Amino acid sequence: MQINGKTKTCGLIGCPVEHTLSPIIHNTLAERMGHNLVYLPFHVERDDVEAAVKGANALSIAGMNVTVPHKSAVIPFLKEIDPLAEKIGAVNTLVPVPGGYKGYNTDMTGLQRAMETEGITIEGREAILLGAGGASRAVAFMLVYKGAKRVYLLNRSLQKAQAVADEVNKAMECEKVAAMPLEGYKELPKQKYLCIQGTSVGLYPNSRDVVIDDRSFYELVDVAVDLIYKPAKTRFMELCEEAGAKAYNGLKMLLYQGIIAYELWNDVHVEDALADEIYELMKEETKVEE
Ligand code: ATR
C-alpha cells in the first residue's frame, strides 16, 4: 500500500500492546478491501488515557481500539456511548463522531457474531458461565441481552459471582443470572447447557490447567466456547469434547471484534470469505507447540 496524504490512520491503545493481533486483522482488511488505511499499536500508560483520546481526536484518527487496562477508563472521555457498551461499562472501539468519539463494545458483539457463524444459539438457552472477571461480566450482559433464558455464573469466589450477578440483573431489569460457587454445578438440573469459559485458567503456557476437573460437569454441556485462543485447544475444550460436546476457542471472537470495529469505522460489510482468510492468518500467528 502506498501511504500518501489521504491515508486514514486507525490504531489501538493499551498497555501492553506488543503482542496484539489487531494490526494483522485491520491491515489485511484494508489491503484486501482496497482501503487507504493503516492500523498501528500505541502504547498508552494509565495516566495518559484522556490525553490519548483527545490527541487521537485532534489528529483525526479515523478509528481506535482500546484494550486492557483502558476499556473502562476511556468512557468519561467519549462524546457518546452505545447502550450495550454503557451497560457493560467497557468499550473496546471508538468511532469518530462530531467533536470526539462514540464508544462500542465489539468484544461482545464479536463473540455473538462468532457464535452465530458457528451456528450456536443463545436465545432461549440456559447457560453456564465460568468466571466473574471483566471478560465474564461482559459475557453475562451479552447472554442476557441476547435472550438467554438463564445464566448460572460459577466462580471460585462466590462473593464476586454474586456482585456480578446482582449488577447484571439490576442493569437488565431481570433475575436471570444466578451466582454459584464452582461446585454449584452439582445442584443444577441434569440437562444440556451452553457453557462459556471466561477465566484465564488454561491460558498458555499453563495449558493443562482447568477450572473444573470433574468429568461429570462436562456431561452437562452440549456446546462450549472458551474465550482463550492460545492454546488453540484448551484442556477445558478437550474435556467438553470427550463428553460429546462441541467446543470452540476464542479466536473467532477476536476476529469478529476486529471485523465489526472495521465495519463501523468504514461503513462496509466484510464478507465471510475474507473473514475466513484473516482467521487462517490469525491461526498461524497464535500457533504454539502443544
Ligand atoms: P479478566 O478481567 O481478564 O476477566 P480477572 O479479573 O483476572 O480476568 O478474573 C479472572 C477470573 O478467573 C476470575 O473469575 C477468577 O476467579 P476469582 O474471582 O475467584 O478470583 C478466575 N480464576 C483465576 N484463577 C483461577 C483458578 N486457579 N481457579 C478458578 N478460578 C480462577
Side-chain angles (χ1 to χ4, degrees):
M1 193 201 87
Q2 183 70 48
I3 293 179
N4 57 28
K6 291 182 180 154
T7 303
K8 285 210 278 185
T9 306
C10 292
L12 166 73
I13 59 169
C15 173
V17 289
E18 285 71 18
H19 300 290
T20 177
L21 289 177
S22 292
I24 295 180
I25 302 175
H26 296 288
N27 290 316
T28 309
L29 283 169
E31 187 194 314
R32 295 288 192 280
M33 298 185 84
H35 294 149
N36 188 352
L37 181 155
V38 290
Y39 182 98
L40 299 167
F42 299 108
H43 185 109
V44 171
E45 295 289 340
R46 279 177 195 271
D47 290 346
D48 294 328
V49 171
E50 180 175 9
V53 175
K54 289 191 171 153
N57 184 46
L59 293 170
S60 303
I61 299 286
M64 294 282 276
N65 280 140
V66 182
T67 189
V68 177
H70 305 324
K71 290 185 188 188
S72 299
V74 291
I75 292 176
F77 312 117
L78 301 176
K79 269 274 168 211
E80 295 174 42
I81 186 163
D82 169 77
L84 176 61
E86 186 171 30
K87 282 200 164 64
I88 295 170
V91 153
N92 78 315
T93 298
L94 308 189
V95 178
V97 291
Y101 292 99
K102 177 170 179 178
Y104 292 83
N105 188 307
T106 73
D107 288 329
M108 285 311 108
T109 49
L111 174 59
Q112 184 196 320
R113 187 146 146 201
M115 288 170 73
E116 238 170 64
T117 66
E118 306 289 12
I120 305 172
T121 309
I122 298 171
E123 198 176 347
R125 287 226 59 180
E126 301 209 8
I128 298 173
L129 175 56
L130 301 180
S136 295
R137 186 176 157 282
V139 172
F141 271 106
M142 190 278 282
L143 290 173
V144 172
Y145 199 76
K146 284 288 137 193
K149 194 167 151 196
R150 200 150 178 79
V151 178
Y152 296 99
L153 183 68
L154 274 55
N155 195 50
R156 182 176 58 180
S157 146
L158 175 60
Q159 201 184 1
K160 211 162 145 191
Q162 193 62 59
V164 172
D166 289 348
E167 194 191 348
V168 178
N169 286 332
K170 188 165 173 224
M172 303 298 289
E173 295 175 13
C174 69
E175 281 300 326
K176 287 185 172 176
V177 186
M180 296 182 143
L182 288 178
E183 323 75 71
Y185 68 88
K186 292 175 184 159
E187 320 300 328
L188 290 179
K190 300 276 177 287
Q191 57 176 54
K192 295 290 187 184
Y193 297 83
L194 160 68
C195 183
I196 313 266
Q197 200 301 108
T199 78
S200 49
V201 178
L203 184 64
Y204 179 82
N206 302 312
S207 310
R208 300 308 292 169
D209 291 357
V210 67
V211 172
I212 299 175
D213 210 357
D214 174 4
R215 282 171 194 273
S216 68
F217 167 69
Y218 296 90
E219 300 295 333
L220 294 168
V221 180
D222 65 355
V223 60
V225 181
D226 195 331
L227 300 192
I228 293 174
Y229 55 82
K230 197 172 176 178
K233 190 171 284 184
T234 60
R235 180 79 187 124
F236 167 80
M237 290 167 66
E238 278 178 10
L239 287 162
C240 287
E241 286 176 353
E242 281 167 25
K246 277 204 167 285
Y248 302 89
N249 68 27
L251 197 62
K252 278 213 170 154
M253 168 182 170
L254 185 67
L255 167 70
Y256 281 105
Q257 66 71 32
I259 285 180
I260 296 169
Y262 193 91
E263 290 176 340
L264 287 167
W265 297 333
N266 296 294
D267 200 18
V268 291
H269 175 74
V270 174
E271 298 295 336
D272 291 349
L274 181 52
D276 291 345
E277 193 184 323
I278 293 167
Y279 186 59
E280 292 305 317
L281 293 176
M282 293 169 76
K283 276 205 279 199
E284 273 308 306
E285 214 47 45
T286 49
K287 218 174 239 174
V288 288
E289 298 299 322
E290 286 167 40

PDB file of all heavy atoms in Angstrom, residues 131-135 155-157 160 199-201, ligand 1:
ATOM      1  N   GLY A 131     -16.440 -18.038  35.696  1.00  0.00           N
ATOM      2  CA  GLY A 131     -15.630 -16.848  35.961  1.00  0.00           C
ATOM      3  C   GLY A 131     -16.472 -15.620  36.195  1.00  0.00           C
ATOM      4  O   GLY A 131     -17.616 -15.534  35.731  1.00  0.00           O
ATOM      5  N   ALA A 132     -15.895 -14.676  36.931  1.00  0.00           N
ATOM      6  CA  ALA A 132     -16.614 -13.437  37.238  1.00  0.00           C
ATOM      7  C   ALA A 132     -15.679 -12.231  37.107  1.00  0.00           C
ATOM      8  O   ALA A 132     -15.874 -11.212  37.741  1.00  0.00           O
ATOM      9  CB  ALA A 132     -17.208 -13.513  38.642  1.00  0.00           C
ATOM     10  N   GLY A 133     -14.639 -12.361  36.266  1.00  0.00           N
ATOM     11  CA  GLY A 133     -13.746 -11.231  35.996  1.00  0.00           C
ATOM     12  C   GLY A 133     -14.352 -10.324  34.939  1.00  0.00           C
ATOM     13  O   GLY A 133     -15.536 -10.467  34.591  1.00  0.00           O
ATOM     14  N   GLY A 134     -13.562  -9.407  34.422  1.00  0.00           N
ATOM     15  CA  GLY A 134     -14.061  -8.430  33.460  1.00  0.00           C
ATOM     16  C   GLY A 134     -14.662  -9.084  32.223  1.00  0.00           C
ATOM     17  O   GLY A 134     -15.727  -8.673  31.739  1.00  0.00           O
ATOM     18  N   ALA A 135     -14.005 -10.131  31.706  1.00  0.00           N
ATOM     19  CA  ALA A 135     -14.479 -10.778  30.485  1.00  0.00           C
ATOM     20  C   ALA A 135     -15.820 -11.478  30.729  1.00  0.00           C
ATOM     21  O   ALA A 135     -16.782 -11.300  29.977  1.00  0.00           O
ATOM     22  CB  ALA A 135     -13.435 -11.773  29.989  1.00  0.00           C
ATOM     23  N   ASN A 155     -18.214 -19.272  39.979  1.00  0.00           N
ATOM     24  CA  ASN A 155     -16.904 -18.659  40.197  1.00  0.00           C
ATOM     25  C   ASN A 155     -16.291 -19.170  41.493  1.00  0.00           C
ATOM     26  O   ASN A 155     -17.010 -19.548  42.421  1.00  0.00           O
ATOM     27  CB  ASN A 155     -17.057 -17.131  40.258  1.00  0.00           C
ATOM     28  CG  ASN A 155     -15.720 -16.436  40.122  1.00  0.00           C
ATOM     29  OD1 ASN A 155     -14.952 -16.735  39.201  1.00  0.00           O
ATOM     30  ND2 ASN A 155     -15.421 -15.516  41.023  1.00  0.00           N
ATOM     31  N   ARG A 156     -14.947 -19.186  41.515  1.00  0.00           N
ATOM     32  CA  ARG A 156     -14.225 -19.607  42.729  1.00  0.00           C
ATOM     33  C   ARG A 156     -14.660 -18.760  43.913  1.00  0.00           C
ATOM     34  O   ARG A 156     -14.982 -19.276  44.969  1.00  0.00           O
ATOM     35  CB  ARG A 156     -12.726 -19.474  42.453  1.00  0.00           C
ATOM     36  CG  ARG A 156     -11.842 -19.906  43.576  1.00  0.00           C
ATOM     37  CD  ARG A 156     -10.397 -19.835  43.157  1.00  0.00           C
ATOM     38  NE  ARG A 156     -10.018 -18.479  42.715  1.00  0.00           N
ATOM     39  CZ  ARG A 156      -8.821 -18.135  42.297  1.00  0.00           C
ATOM     40  NH1 ARG A 156      -7.859 -19.049  42.228  1.00  0.00           N
ATOM     41  NH2 ARG A 156      -8.548 -16.912  41.929  1.00  0.00           N
ATOM     42  N   SER A 157     -14.685 -17.450  43.724  1.00  0.00           N
ATOM     43  CA  SER A 157     -15.182 -16.576  44.787  1.00  0.00           C
ATOM     44  C   SER A 157     -16.674 -16.315  44.553  1.00  0.00           C
ATOM     45  O   SER A 157     -17.061 -15.645  43.604  1.00  0.00           O
ATOM     46  CB  SER A 157     -14.399 -15.256  44.787  1.00  0.00           C
ATOM     47  OG  SER A 157     -15.240 -14.188  45.156  1.00  0.00           O
ATOM     48  N   LYS A 160     -17.758 -12.624  44.525  1.00  0.00           N
ATOM     49  CA  LYS A 160     -17.537 -11.897  43.272  1.00  0.00           C
ATOM     50  C   LYS A 160     -18.609 -12.268  42.242  1.00  0.00           C
ATOM     51  O   LYS A 160     -19.122 -11.408  41.521  1.00  0.00           O
ATOM     52  CB  LYS A 160     -16.137 -12.250  42.735  1.00  0.00           C
ATOM     53  CG  LYS A 160     -15.504 -11.132  41.959  1.00  0.00           C
ATOM     54  CD  LYS A 160     -14.001 -11.360  41.845  1.00  0.00           C
ATOM     55  CE  LYS A 160     -13.470 -10.881  40.518  1.00  0.00           C
ATOM     56  NZ  LYS A 160     -12.079 -11.322  40.295  1.00  0.00           N
ATOM     57  N   THR A 199     -12.623 -17.520  32.330  1.00  0.00           N
ATOM     58  CA  THR A 199     -11.471 -17.231  33.198  1.00  0.00           C
ATOM     59  C   THR A 199     -10.174 -17.340  32.383  1.00  0.00           C
ATOM     60  O   THR A 199     -10.183 -17.788  31.242  1.00  0.00           O
ATOM     61  CB  THR A 199     -11.364 -18.224  34.385  1.00  0.00           C
ATOM     62  OG1 THR A 199     -10.810 -19.450  33.910  1.00  0.00           O
ATOM     63  CG2 THR A 199     -12.710 -18.492  35.033  1.00  0.00           C
ATOM     64  N   SER A 200      -9.085 -16.953  33.027  1.00  0.00           N
ATOM     65  CA  SER A 200      -7.786 -17.060  32.348  1.00  0.00           C
ATOM     66  C   SER A 200      -7.122 -18.409  32.616  1.00  0.00           C
ATOM     67  O   SER A 200      -5.987 -18.646  32.214  1.00  0.00           O
ATOM     68  CB  SER A 200      -6.889 -15.920  32.823  1.00  0.00           C
ATOM     69  OG  SER A 200      -6.919 -15.870  34.237  1.00  0.00           O
ATOM     70  N   VAL A 201      -7.829 -19.309  33.295  1.00  0.00           N
ATOM     71  CA  VAL A 201      -7.263 -20.619  33.633  1.00  0.00           C
ATOM     72  C   VAL A 201      -7.164 -21.481  32.364  1.00  0.00           C
ATOM     73  O   VAL A 201      -8.155 -21.665  31.666  1.00  0.00           O
ATOM     74  CB  VAL A 201      -8.122 -21.339  34.705  1.00  0.00           C
ATOM     75  CG1 VAL A 201      -7.550 -22.719  35.020  1.00  0.00           C
ATOM     76  CG2 VAL A 201      -8.216 -20.488  35.969  1.00  0.00           C
TER      77      VAL A 201
HETATM   78  P1  ATR B   1     -10.489 -10.714  33.337  1.00  0.00           P
HETATM   79  O1  ATR B   1     -10.803  -9.348  33.864  1.00  0.00           O
HETATM   80  O2  ATR B   1      -9.474 -10.728  32.241  1.00  0.00           O
HETATM   81  O3  ATR B   1     -11.689 -11.496  33.000  1.00  0.00           O
HETATM   82  P2  ATR B   1      -9.743 -11.355  36.051  1.00  0.00           P
HETATM   83  O4  ATR B   1     -10.500 -10.191  36.517  1.00  0.00           O
HETATM   84  O5  ATR B   1      -8.336 -11.506  36.480  1.00  0.00           O
HETATM   85  O6  ATR B   1      -9.739 -11.512  34.483  1.00  0.00           O
HETATM   86  O7  ATR B   1     -10.616 -12.623  36.508  1.00  0.00           O
HETATM   87  C1  ATR B   1     -10.110 -13.847  36.420  1.00  0.00           C
HETATM   88  C2  ATR B   1     -11.231 -14.879  36.651  1.00  0.00           C
HETATM   89  O8  ATR B   1     -10.592 -16.136  36.665  1.00  0.00           O
HETATM   90  C3  ATR B   1     -11.945 -14.733  37.973  1.00  0.00           C
HETATM   91  O9  ATR B   1     -13.252 -15.210  37.819  1.00  0.00           O
HETATM   92  C4  ATR B   1     -11.132 -15.686  38.874  1.00  0.00           C
HETATM   93  O10 ATR B   1     -11.838 -16.211  39.978  1.00  0.00           O
HETATM   94  P3  ATR B   1     -11.898 -15.374  41.383  1.00  0.00           P
HETATM   95  O11 ATR B   1     -12.908 -14.285  41.157  1.00  0.00           O
HETATM   96  O12 ATR B   1     -12.377 -16.363  42.379  1.00  0.00           O
HETATM   97  O13 ATR B   1     -10.524 -14.874  41.650  1.00  0.00           O
HETATM   98  C5  ATR B   1     -10.858 -16.789  37.900  1.00  0.00           C
HETATM   99  N1  ATR B   1      -9.684 -17.575  38.298  1.00  0.00           N
HETATM  100  C6  ATR B   1      -8.393 -17.209  38.210  1.00  0.00           C
HETATM  101  N2  ATR B   1      -7.597 -18.208  38.614  1.00  0.00           N
HETATM  102  C7  ATR B   1      -8.424 -19.232  38.979  1.00  0.00           C
HETATM  103  C8  ATR B   1      -8.215 -20.562  39.463  1.00  0.00           C
HETATM  104  N3  ATR B   1      -6.975 -21.056  39.659  1.00  0.00           N
HETATM  105  N4  ATR B   1      -9.291 -21.329  39.699  1.00  0.00           N
HETATM  106  C9  ATR B   1     -10.538 -20.854  39.499  1.00  0.00           C
HETATM  107  N5  ATR B   1     -10.805 -19.621  39.017  1.00  0.00           N
HETATM  108  C10 ATR B   1      -9.761 -18.823  38.770  1.00  0.00           C
END
